[in-house]
Amino acid sequence: QVQLQESGPGLVKPSETLSLTCTVSGGSISSYYWSWIRQPPGKGLEWIGYIYYSGSTNYNPSLKSRVTISVDTSKNQFSLKLNSVTAADTAVYYCAKKTQALDPWGQGTLVTVSS
Amino acid sequence: QSVLTQPPSVSGAPGQRVTISCTGSSSNIGAGFDVHWYQQLPGTAPKLLIYGNSNRPSGVPDRFSGSKSGTSASLAISGLQAEDEADYYCQSYDSSLSGYVFGTGTKVTVL
C-alpha cells in the first residue's frame, strides 16, 4: 500500500523559506492528486494546497501568495515551499494522497519558525 | 479560519452513542460537495474514517457512520469505546474559496 514520508528542516528562521519534501513509496505518484496540510500546535487542520502529477496546482487563497507546490515524478516525490515565514507558520506539516478524500497521510513533520 | 463548524467537545460513557455535527453553508456542504471525516488519535496523523458522506474505508468499524443533510453533516459513534478518544475533523470543498476546508475539530472524551 502507498506510504508517504515528509522530510525537511525542523527549524526555519523568520522571513526565510520553508522547504519540505514528501516521498511516496509503495505506488506511483502518477495519475493522482497530492496534498499538503498543516496543523499549528494545539490547533486544527489547515489545507495548504494540492498538485496533480502533471503539475497543475490549487492553493489555499490565504497562503497562495507565498506557496509553491511542485512534483518530481522521476523521484516519486512532491514538494512544498512556503516563503517569508513567520512564527504563525510553526506547525506540523502533513502530506497526503488525494483521491475522493485525503488518504493516506504521512506521519507529519514539525517545523518551527524561530531565530 | 474554518468555514465548517463543529462542537469543541462531546463526551459519553462506554457503550453509549455520540454524534458530532459539522455545519457548513451553501458554498460547501449545501452545494452538494462530499463530506469526509478524519480521526486523529493523540500524537498521530489524521486517519480517514468516513469518505463520501457515509462510506467507511476497509478496516473502519461499523460503529462509525456518517450522514449529510442540507448544509450539515454528522458523524455518529455507537458503542463508544475508550480507544475512540480522539479529535475528529470533517472536511469538504468550498466553491467560494475554490479549495478544501476542514471543520474546527471535535474532541471526543470517553467518561
Side-chain angles (χ1 to χ4, degrees):
Chain A
Q1 72 216 31
V2 172
Q3 292 184 309
L4 294 85
Q5 178 69 58
E6 305 89 350
S7 60
L11 181 64
V12 180
K13 290 183 168 53
S15 79
E16 296 190 344
T17 297
L18 178 160
S19 296
L20 296 174
T21 296
C22 182
T23 300
V24 179
S25 60
S28 173
I29 203 168
S30 297
S31 304
Y32 291 104
Y33 289 86
W34 304 90
S35 193
W36 286 98
I37 306 99
R38 70 180 183 178
Q39 184 173 36
K43 297 189 177 180
L45 300 167
E46 179 180 33
W47 172 71
I48 298 173
Y50 65 70
I51 188 165
Y52 191 45
Y53 79 101
S54 63
S56 61
T57 55
N58 188 18
Y59 300 134
N60 185 325
S62 68
L63 298 170
K64 190 172 184 176
S65 63
R66 299 193 292 130
V67 172
T68 301
I69 298 177
S70 59
V71 64
D72 186 336
T73 55
S74 67
K75 294 182 178 179
N76 236 31
Q77 296 176 333
F78 63 105
S79 298
L80 168 70
K81 288 189 186 300
L82 180 67
N83 57 36
S84 304
V85 297
T86 69
D89 295 310
T90 293
V92 175
Y93 286 76
Y94 297 101
C95 57
K97 178 182 178 182
K98 192 195 90 62
T99 50
Q100 190 171 356
L102 295 166
D103 180 57
W105 295 54
Q107 66 182 29
T109 187
L110 174 64
V111 179
T112 300
V113 178
S114 175
S115 55
Chain B
Q1 69 277 16
S2 300
V3 298
L4 302 180
T5 302
Q6 301 177 229
S9 63
V10 298
S11 61
Q16 285 191 328
R17 181 178 186 269
V18 297
T19 61
I20 301 170
S21 61
C22 174
T23 302
S25 67
S26 59
S27 62
N28 40 69
I29 299 175
F33 295 109
D34 282 344
V35 178
H36 317 297
W37 291 90
Y38 303 88
Q39 177 192 57
Q40 186 175 32
L41 297 169
T44 70
K47 168 194 157 188
L48 180 64
L49 198 63
I50 297 287
Y51 69 94
N53 305 315
S54 59
N55 301 291
R56 284 186 309 276
S58 60
V60 173
D62 59 6
R63 304 185 291 103
F64 295 93
S65 62
S67 63
K68 175 185 148 181
S69 178
T71 58
S72 295
S74 291
L75 173 72
I77 310 173
S78 58
L80 196 62
Q81 299 182 4
E83 66 203 51
D84 299 333
E85 277 209 344
D87 293 324
Y88 294 81
Y89 293 91
C90 59
Q91 179 248 314
S92 187
Y93 180 86
D94 190 282
S95 57
S96 297
L97 299 175
S98 296
Y100 292 97
V101 288
F102 285 97
T104 49
T106 298
K107 181 175 183 59
V108 170
T109 301
V110 182
L111 301 172

